[in-house]
């Protein structure tokens, strides 16, 4: 008996190759060809994006294309196949009556039944069910093709938008393209306006004028490499492993029914054609066209495969770098030049995080705190929201510092950098907070303070590993600019 799953997945999707054709068609678009041919890294990012889309669409085509009417018709077809010849003759009319107004097969089915009443062909049930199966196959394939076209149009629209944003982000950078194209491609999911571009260019220009800020950001990025802990070392290596993979040639289990010319796995119902000379030619035609209903088998095959892993080695290895967690003071005393410095520093650290494939979050605080995930799926939108935020309110460092310390106690923040950007016009933190900070320092987390005021509380800043003072006078800033 053919199940809806085997009709839908086994034959319609796996055998037609429509998804592969759609992927080939998308990759052949001129805009994508130009981008992928000029940048191998971009090509890899685009292909990975399309692979994820293909997996998602395959799952949706497997579930969303079967309407309720089609499900009922498939159930009726299953019932018809399972009936004896006598029961089929008795119930066929009432069964087909249920298709009226719901299936295009109804009129053809009624004509075939009327002819059979006059001729009483012995093999009519097999012939009728075969025609019904062909109709169901065509209906499912048409529904899937229509759904696939809609998904493909949506994918192309998204890809074109990402390419546009990707090129915009590259053009914003005055020092060339950001190195980690894959992470940059992820950030390009958000559409940018001309206002957004001008905002980004403004902070790029600000960093160019205030090179000391850029140097501080680069020093912060390098500090993760200075950790001497073998547990953080990783070196990419390939090794052969015996893995189990699904293999259709291994006949462990029956997982469905599909169309092929494999006589060893033929469904018994198909042999009914051979019992009647008038229908025997139909059997051979299906065999030649590879359209015989056969069992789909699947098992697990053990094969040797190269698997990439990270293993500590004595030679030079890569350091597993943790995220940046940036706490930015958004109080009213930070407005003006300090606010520009804080935003520019966060933007510079975001660029380093993208280059080094690290996570980067900004928490702005005054009397409360708001978090922006700068390297997440909507990272660019989050970054633009942060850069557009106006600083106001009072300073209350304790809540955001306590929250940050709690986060840094998790595995996600191993070898992480906490950067507090503030004027530090605030009281010393409670001993409980200081004790937690000291404990995290022993676990290779680093705490940095960037002081943007000459009135900062020195006692407060003693709890940090590194403190940078950056508060040039108005005259100094004018000299830098001109």
């Amino acid at each position: 008996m053919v199940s809806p799953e085997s009709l839908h997945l086994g034959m319609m999707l796996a055998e037609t190759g429509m998804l592969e054709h759609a992927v080939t068609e998308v990759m052949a678009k001129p805009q994508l060809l130009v981008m992928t041919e000029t940048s191998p890294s971009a090509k890899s990012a685009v292909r990975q994006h399309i692979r994820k889309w293909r997996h998602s669409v395959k799952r949706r085509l497997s579930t969303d294309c079967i309407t309720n009417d089609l499900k009922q018709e498939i159930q009726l077809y299953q019932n018809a196949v399972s009936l004896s010849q006598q029961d089929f003759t008795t119930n066929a009319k009432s069964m087909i009556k249920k298709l009226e107004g719901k299936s295009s097969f109804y009129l053809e089915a009624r004509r075939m039944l009327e002819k059979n009443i006059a001729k009483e062909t012995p093999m009519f049930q097999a012939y009728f069910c075969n025609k019904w199966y062909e109709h169901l196959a065509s209906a499912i394939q048409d529904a899937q093709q229509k759904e696939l076209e809609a998904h493909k149009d949506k994918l192309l629209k998204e890809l074109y938008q990402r390419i546009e944003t990707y090129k915009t982000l590259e053009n914003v950078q005055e020092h060339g393209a950001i190195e980690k194209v894959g992470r940059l491609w992820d950030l390009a999911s958000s559409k940018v306006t001309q206002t957004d571009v001008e905002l980004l260019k403004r902070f790029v220009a600000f960093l160019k004028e205030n090179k000391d800020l850029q140097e501080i950001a680069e020093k912060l990025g390098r500090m993760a490499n200075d950790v001497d802990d073998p547990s953080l070392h990783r070196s990419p290596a390939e090794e052969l492993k015996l893995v189990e993979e699904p293999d259709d040639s291994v006949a462990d289990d029956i997982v469905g029914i599909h169309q092929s010319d494999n006589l060893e796995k033929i469904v018994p119902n198909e042999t009914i054609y051979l019992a009647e000379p008038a229908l025997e030619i139909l059997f051979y035609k299906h065999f030649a066209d590879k359209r015989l209903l056969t069992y789909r088998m699947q098992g697990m095959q053990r094969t040797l495969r190269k698997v990439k892993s990270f293993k500590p080695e004595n030679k030079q290895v890569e350091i597993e770098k943790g995220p940046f967690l940036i706490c930015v003071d958004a109080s009213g005393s930070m407005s003006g030049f300090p606010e520009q410095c804080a935003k520019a520093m966060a933007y510079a650290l975001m660029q380093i995080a993208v280059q080094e494939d690290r996570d980067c979050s900004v928490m702005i605080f005054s009397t409360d705190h708001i978090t922006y995930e700068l390297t997440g799926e909507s990272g660019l939108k989050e970054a633009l929201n942060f850069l557009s935020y106006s600083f106001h309110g009072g300073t209350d460092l304790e809540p955001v510092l306590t929250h940050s310390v709690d986060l840094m106690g998790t595995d996600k923040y191993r070898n992480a950098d906490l950067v507090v950007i503030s004027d530090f016009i605030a009281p010393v933190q409670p001993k409980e907070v200081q004790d937690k900070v000291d404990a995290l320092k022993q676990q290779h987390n680093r705490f940095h303070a960037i002081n943007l005021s000459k009135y900062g509380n020195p006692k407060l800043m003693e709890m940090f590993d590194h403190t940078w003072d950056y508060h040039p006078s108005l005259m100094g800033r004018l000299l830098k600019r001109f």
Side-chain angles (χ1 to χ4, degrees), residues 122-154:
M123 298 302 297
F124 174 73
Q125 180 183 3
Y127 175 76
F128 181 88
C129 289
N130 184 70
K131 286 293 184 182
W132 198 352
Y133 181 88
E134 290 178 355
H135 159 75
L136 286 170
S138 177
I140 293 172
Q141 185 174 341
D142 289 346
Q144 286 181 332
Q145 189 64 51
K146 184 178 179 180
E147 182 79 8
L148 181 60
E149 287 297 320
H151 284 295
K152 188 177 72 174
D153 291 342
K154 184 178 178 181

